[in-house]
Amino acid sequence: MSHEATAYSQLANETMSQREHTSRGLLVIAAFKLLKGLALLAVGIGAHTLIDKDLVVIVEHWVNVFRVDPNNHYLHALLERCTDLSPQRLRELSFGTFFYAALLLTEGIGLALHKRWAEYFTTIATSSFIPLEIYEIFHHPNITKVVVLLINIAVVWYLVLELRRHRVKVPERQLVFSK
């Protein structure tokens, strides 16, 4: 096997535990991704169980259980949104939530298991959402969206630094000229 093939093989099989430096920052990112993934999994399951059910009746039940003021502005907004959710829309929301949860759980598990591919995967996946987050901020601005954007930019920046710090040196190809 050539030096170049050996270097690429080493890069593909390398784990963070094989490196001299194990980054706590990567473990924090892994924990954050796992928590978000598990939360979205719960939301997806909840949305799936609500398909073909009367959402207004369910919300009213929980309003009574928690003794929420029936004249609350936010409650009325929630009830209005519930009346607009069709079973088809709930299926779509459920599918999208499961898909995003799977993405986050894949990132989190890969980073927690110290897999180099997970660093690349997380960098690509997280950076791909940044343009959408910027679009959302311009059209529906709020502080939460700005904070999420800043966190995601920081995560991508940190991951790029980690990848650059621990990259494997691949020997340059030498040109051989025949006479």
Side-chain angles (χ1 to χ4, degrees), residues 84-145:
D84 293 340
L85 285 175
S86 67
Q88 178 61 30
R89 182 70 178 139
L90 273 174
R91 278 187 200 89
E92 292 166 356
L93 287 171
S94 180
F95 176 78
T97 303
F98 283 133
F99 179 80
Y100 191 45
L103 178 75
L104 290 169
L105 291 171
T106 302
E107 292 172 357
I109 290 168
L111 290 172
L113 294 176
H114 309 294
K115 300 297 181 182
R116 182 118 173 123
W117 61 260
E119 294 178 45
Y120 285 101
F121 184 67
T122 304
T123 301
I124 293 166
T126 304
S127 62
S128 69
F129 286 106
I130 289 175
L132 297 172
E133 293 167 356
I134 292 170
Y135 175 85
E136 271 297 309
I137 288 170
F138 278 110
H139 287 83
H140 307 287
N142 70 40
I143 191 68
T144 305
K145 291 176 184 177

Side-chain angles (χ1 to χ4, degrees), residues 45-73:
I45 291 169
H48 187 72
T49 60
L50 292 175
I51 295 173
D52 295 325
K53 296 205 168 115
D54 190 351
L55 297 179
V56 174
V57 170
I58 293 170
V59 171
E60 287 175 348
H61 166 75
W62 288 108
V63 164
N64 291 332
V65 168
F66 289 111
R67 300 179 192 264
V68 177
D69 177 15
N71 296 320
N72 186 310
H73 168 72

